[in-house]
Amino acid sequence: MSTNDTKLSRESIAAAALAIADAEGFASVSMRRVAQELGVGTMSLYYYVKTKDDLIAVMDDALMGEALLPSIPKDWRRALTEIATRTHDLFLRHPWALVSMLSAPPGINAMRHMEQCLEALAGTSMTAQQKLALLATVDDFVFGHALREASADGAIDVAFAKAQMATGAFPRLAEVFGKGRIPAQRDRFKKGLKVLLEAELS
């Protein structure tokens, strides 16, 4: 075993794969490309990850590790806000993961993430069904907002929007946005999440 091979682990392999995906896109991730990044032979990886699916699984587990909080605030709304914000931020750092990691099986860090979410709600009077429903709704909000932010097609062209409102063809939009700025995506995420968590649960 070479000196480089002794530095191999599932964690180092995942880190290399994430770096490749961030820099070159998920399509560039392969066992050969990861081995090249680590300076080892491709066959050296197979001791740690057996297949491409296994490689995707360790990548997803590393990503979910980024979503974990070091500690859970006692107030459940604050706790879920911090968890949701941390998850949202990881998707913005790794936008390719929004689609490419959908098929990945849940790993230990995904389970820890869910455990933290449930721990945040442990002191509430919510039923198990209510907790799961709320967490699913928050997940949908986080995922959908991150997908919109990461998409160039979803970005607001402020100059275009203001020019169109100036024509008078969109009086209702002008009434809401014409005298103020169009809310930044980050502001919309924070305010939307606050509204969601403060809403009465049915």
Side-chain angles (χ1 to χ4, degrees):
M1 181 175 291
S2 70
T3 302
N4 284 340
D5 288 358
T6 62
K7 297 179 181 179
L8 284 179
S9 66
R10 288 172 70 85
E11 291 75 20
S12 65
I13 290 170
L18 292 181
I20 293 167
D22 289 341
E24 304 170 18
F26 180 74
S28 296
V29 177
S30 67
M31 299 290 266
R32 178 178 294 181
R33 181 67 185 84
V34 171
Q36 180 184 15
E37 184 76 7
L38 292 169
V40 300
T42 303
M43 293 305 296
S44 299
L45 301 186
Y46 287 98
Y47 179 81
Y48 302 93
V49 290
K50 306 302 182 185
T51 63
K52 177 67 177 291
D53 286 343
D54 196 17
L55 177 60
I56 292 173
V58 298
M59 290 173 69
D60 185 71
D61 198 51
L63 287 172
M64 293 310 300
E66 295 182 26
L68 298 177
L69 295 182
S71 61
I72 305 296
K74 292 183 178 179
D75 178 78
W76 72 265
R77 286 187 176 89
R78 180 184 168 193
L80 287 191
T81 295
E82 291 190 14
I83 291 170
T85 300
R86 198 174 179 99
T87 305
H88 173 260
D89 289 349
L90 89 82
F91 279 132
L92 295 188
R93 288 194 300 272
H94 313 286
W96 50 268
L98 286 161
V99 174
S100 300
M101 293 288 103
L102 289 177
S103 63
I108 189 66
N109 282 330
M111 294 177 67
R112 288 171 177 151
H113 173 69
M114 188 61 175
E115 181 72 13
Q116 285 195 338
C117 292
L118 291 172
E119 181 181 343
L121 299 176
T124 70
S125 60
M126 299 179 203
T127 65
Q129 185 176 6
Q130 287 175 322
K131 291 175 183 178
L132 293 176
L134 175 60
L135 294 178
T137 302
V138 172
D139 273 353
D140 288 345
F141 176 78
V142 170
F143 184 89
H145 207 286
L147 186 63
R148 184 180 181 88
E149 267 190 88
S151 171
D153 292 337
I156 297 175
D157 187 331
V158 176
F160 173 79
K162 288 184 175 179
Q164 293 304 309
M165 287 187 287
T167 67
F170 303 96
R172 302 293 179 237
L173 289 175
E175 181 181 2
V176 174
F177 298 115
K179 295 182 180 180
R181 67 184 181 87
I182 296 175
Q185 290 279 13
R186 184 72 177 186
D187 291 339
R188 291 167 58 192
F189 174 77
K190 291 170 64 177
K191 291 177 181 178
L193 182 60
K194 182 178 180 181
V195 169
L196 174 60
L197 294 179
E198 288 182 350
E200 289 293 329
L201 298 176
S202 59

